[in-house]
Amino acid sequence: MKKSMLIATLLAGLSAILLACGGGSGSAAVAGSSGITATTGATSTSTGSNTGTSASNTIDATRLPLGDGKFSRTTPAVGYVYACYTAGSGGASSKGPWFNADGMTWNALGKISVQGAVSWTSSFLVSLGSSLGITGNGLPPNPTGTFPIASTDPAYAYDRNPNSISQANIAWGLPANPVVAAQPTCTSLGAIGVLLDGVRLYNADDGGYRDAVAWEIQDACQGHPERSGQYHHHNISSCLTQKDTPGQHSPLVGYIADGFGIYGNQGENGKALTNADLDECHGHTHAVERNGVTVTQYHYHQTKEFPYTIGCYKGTPVTVH
């Protein structure tokens, strides 16, 4: 395909990405290798899962299996996080009432969020060339909760996150044509990728080998800051404008550090996916749309159950911060 035709295809196919990164006073852009750029803005106020009107999932959101202890330092496994580090201490101080009495499950529909609505100026750019360029300021296009968590916020009783959100620039060059590595690679604490809202994605650990999505209290868009001020997600934010459509494969919702894309919860023909449908790194291979072009490629998926996003890197990750 000629470069001019490819750029036109990319700009058309990536309109959903542009919409995902607008809102408030922020802006986002996607540029082709020729330097052609499109910019737009939009406001998202959605809550709950990132599935829109997707087909029903057999996973019961009121009884999600708790991911505590589902970490391995020796070998990757389905439903686990392959970790390069030993357990430290988690952020949340105590269990909230959304933890079920059985001690093994939790109720995602009953979990509270950090209060507040703080607006930010967001910038995010995906550039398509010899590498997949990811640049931005790490701030979301949608309002966040108020951090540090106020003592008057009901969340404070369970999670006293003392950190403030600050700009944390992203300047990554990911593999433009990623390939599956001979062996999976373990994940570290900190960024493992980025979602299309320009916010870093972390793995599902709260730092203490506990289920971060269950334990830590995030804001309404499932984000919060760590000690250096990096605002981040541990699962796919419900505030993304990319939503699943019944009967269709989920759209691209982000990129992982090895260059492979991560998609929503639906696989081919709109099937709602669980851990059982995916490999140890939380992905599989078939034809998908990536950057406006259909390719047969390995890719990751969101699930409603732990580890929610990736369990390990299927390709060779670059260092991201």
Side-chain angles (χ1 to χ4, degrees), residues 29-303:
V30 178
S33 57
S34 67
I36 298 174
T37 304
T39 304
T40 189
T43 301
S44 174
T45 58
S46 63
T47 58
S49 70
N50 189 46
T51 56
T53 56
S54 65
S56 61
N57 196 321
T58 57
I59 298 297
D60 182 355
T62 69
R63 299 185 62 81
L64 293 176
L66 193 60
D68 292 7
K70 293 182 180 179
F71 298 84
S72 172
R73 294 201 64 205
T74 57
T75 185
V78 172
Y80 279 68
V81 169
Y82 185 23
C84 300
Y85 53 89
T86 56
S89 58
S93 58
S94 60
K95 286 184 175 181
W98 54 92
F99 285 85
N100 294 323
D102 61 14
M104 301 173 60
T105 63
W106 67 285
N107 179 2
L109 302 184
K111 188 183 178 188
I112 63 175
S113 299
V114 173
Q115 296 178 341
V118 182
S119 296
W120 305 90
T121 298
S122 174
S123 65
F124 182 54
L125 175 71
V126 178
S127 58
L128 308 169
S130 57
S131 66
L132 182 65
I134 307 290
T135 56
N137 64 5
L139 296 173
N142 47 265
T144 69
T146 300
F147 295 94
I149 298 176
S151 60
T152 54
D153 190 325
Y156 189 80
Y158 313 105
D159 187 339
R160 300 185 178 186
N161 188 330
N163 305 313
S164 299
I165 298 172
S166 61
Q167 180 171 321
N169 291 337
I170 295 174
W172 302 346
L174 307 183
N177 297 294
V179 296
V180 172
Q183 297 293 332
T185 301
C186 56
T187 65
S188 298
L189 290 173
I192 59 170
V194 65
L195 298 187
L196 297 184
D197 59 358
V199 172
R200 289 170 173 84
L201 177 66
Y202 284 24
N203 72 14
D205 187 10
D206 74 344
Y209 281 6
R210 299 188 307 184
D211 186 331
V213 179
W215 278 89
E216 296 183 320
I217 305 181
Q218 296 93 13
D219 60 26
C221 291
Q222 299 81 54
H224 66 167
E226 44 84 84
R227 66 185 62 185
S228 72
Q230 280 189 8
Y231 182 78
H232 61 278
H233 303 298
H234 290 278
N235 58 349
I236 304 303
S237 171
S238 63
C239 294
L240 295 182
T241 58
Q242 292 81 13
K243 302 295 182 184
D244 290 345
T245 300
Q248 297 182 18
H249 192 278
S250 292
L252 181 76
V253 296
Y255 296 99
I256 302 303
D258 57 8
F260 287 121
I262 183 166
Y263 294 73
N265 182 236
Q266 293 178 191
E268 292 180 290
N269 302 314
K271 178 185 177 181
L273 301 175
T274 68
N275 288 348
D277 300 304
L278 304 170
D279 67 11
E280 71 278 13
C281 288
H282 224 57
H284 58 192
T285 301
H286 62 73
V288 290
E289 184 174 313
R290 175 186 166 95
N291 304 332
V293 179
T294 299
V295 295
T296 298
Q297 188 177 76
Y298 183 87
H299 56 281
Y300 302 102
H301 272 281
Q302 166 197 13
T303 56

